[in-house]
Amino acid sequence: MEKLRIAIIGTGGISNCHTNGYKAIADKCEIVAVCDLDEEKAKNYAANYGVPAYYTDFNEMFAKEKIDAVSVCTWNSSHKPATIAALNAGCHVLCEKPMAMNTAEAEE
């Protein structure tokens, strides 16, 4: 069985919990990319966790990487666009709460 290819969007505090969880089951998955608006932060996060690729634009990440699942760990206000982009890229999504800022956004 091939490992699931995981990406992390948002490299703030909660993302460490996601990354450590994925690392704990490294026989089943691998983190192949991280994304953060702050390039230096993304670069350092990738280096710290041994992730081969980092991006500042999740649309570019989805275009360039083969990703099976993504953890959305961004600010609440950006959960919706990151989640929709991941779903449109064919990824399974684990999104921190809330999934959107209101009912209308969640229905999108």
Side-chain angles (χ1 to χ4, degrees):
M1 175 183 209
E2 287 186 38
K3 290 183 180 184
L4 288 174
R5 296 172 56 84
I6 308 293
I8 307 287
I9 301 176
T11 59
I14 197 66
S15 68
N16 295 296
C17 295
H18 288 250
T19 298
N20 289 330
Y22 292 127
K23 293 288 188 179
I25 55 170
D27 60 321
K28 295 178 176 65
C29 64
E30 62 183 324
I31 302 172
V32 298
V34 298
C35 181
D36 197 282
L37 292 174
D38 182 331
E39 184 173 11
E40 196 63 27
K41 193 173 171 189
K43 180 180 177 181
N44 291 336
Y45 192 95
N48 183 51
Y49 283 108
V51 177
Y54 66 90
Y55 295 87
T56 58
D57 179 328
F58 53 74
N59 290 305
E60 179 185 2
M61 179 179 74
F62 291 131
K64 292 184 176 179
E65 302 289 337
K66 179 184 178 288
I67 299 168
D68 299 309
V70 63
S71 281
V72 177
C73 304
T74 61
W75 292 105
N76 294 349
S77 60
S78 61
H79 285 176
K80 182 192 93 166
T83 296
I84 290 172
L87 291 170
N88 286 336
C91 299
H92 296 278
V93 178
L94 180 62
C95 181
E96 279 294 317
K97 63 181 187 209
M99 116 173 134
M101 297 305 291
N102 56 53
T103 303
E105 284 188 3
E107 288 174 350
E108 283 184 61

